[in-house]
Amino acid sequence: MKILLKNQLNKIPMATLLSVSATVIVPAYATSPVPNQFSQPAMITMHKNTHENYQLIDNIKMFPKPATKQVQHILELAQRDDEASYKIEIQIGQNKLVDCNHHRLSGKLVEQNLSGWGYPFYSVDSITVGPSTMMMCNEPKTAKFVPMGQSLSINYDSRLPKIFYLPEDATLRYRIWQAKGDYHYSN
């Protein structure tokens, strides 16, 4: 049988064999998907409380209720073995329709300590329009996050949630930074 098949294949021109081999269907077998190496479990859970819909959460019940027209932003951090390798960058601002200029908002972020407990929390009383460049813009306005001042960098510490009291029209955004590699020494 092998010899007969070999003789028949030798009689077929090479161009025909190439076209036939290109149309051969190879069966595929399904395998489980490869896990996404870039996805991480959620490290921060976010809650918001206003004066009207305030919900008492056990691990933050010692913090004051938000004032009228204020929102309490609560960042609960997942416990990690290597917390010293992480930092959280916090930006406070507003989503606005802006032109091509660089815009900033003005406001004062104040770190306070909870009386009798010593736990830190942060507050902003008001946010106003800040400086911007004055370039001529031909493009239409677009929606962007406009930050207030500089970013706040805090250590990753899951023992206590991070609490922020902000005006109703403010937005809090955050990202996690991770240190990779070892320390290097100067000579």
Side-chain angles (χ1 to χ4, degrees), residues 57-81:
I57 301 172
D58 268 351
N59 59 345
I60 64 155
K61 62 185 174 188
M62 69 287 287
F63 289 96
K65 183 178 182 178
T68 307
K69 296 194 178 196
Q70 202 174 45
V71 177
Q72 179 188 45
H73 297 258
I74 306 158
L75 301 177
E76 288 189 278
L77 311 179
Q79 188 173 0
R80 301 193 53 89
D81 293 334

Side-chain angles (χ1 to χ4, degrees), residues 28-88:
Y29 298 98
T31 60
S32 59
V34 176
N36 185 351
Q37 63 187 2
F38 299 108
S39 67
Q40 292 184 5
M43 294 175 68
I44 296 180
T45 306
M46 177 102 175
H47 305 283
K48 286 185 186 180
N49 289 327
T50 63
H51 184 76
E52 291 77 27
N53 74 350
Y54 183 73
Q55 297 175 0
L56 191 62
I57 301 172
D58 268 351
N59 59 345
I60 64 155
K61 62 185 174 188
M62 69 287 287
F63 289 96
K65 183 178 182 178
T68 307
K69 296 194 178 196
Q70 202 174 45
V71 177
Q72 179 188 45
H73 297 258
I74 306 158
L75 301 177
E76 288 189 278
L77 311 179
Q79 188 173 0
R80 301 193 53 89
D81 293 334
D82 54 349
E83 290 185 1
S85 297
Y86 292 92
K87 288 224 181 249
I88 304 167

Side-chain angles (χ1 to χ4, degrees), residues 101-157:
N101 288 293
H102 297 284
H103 297 271
R104 286 272 187 207
L105 297 173
S106 293
K108 186 174 181 182
L109 178 66
V110 178
E111 180 179 357
Q112 300 173 335
N113 282 313
L114 190 59
S115 180
W117 295 82
Y119 297 152
F121 65 94
Y122 304 87
S123 65
V124 174
D125 288 335
S126 65
I127 296 177
T128 58
V129 175
S132 75
T133 57
M134 302 292 277
M135 298 183 295
M136 186 176 89
C137 300
N138 295 327
E139 301 88 29
K141 291 185 176 186
T142 58
K144 286 187 179 178
F145 178 82
V146 180
M148 178 191 82
Q150 297 294 318
S151 298
L152 171 68
S153 178
I154 55 179
N155 292 330
Y156 191 101
D157 183 4

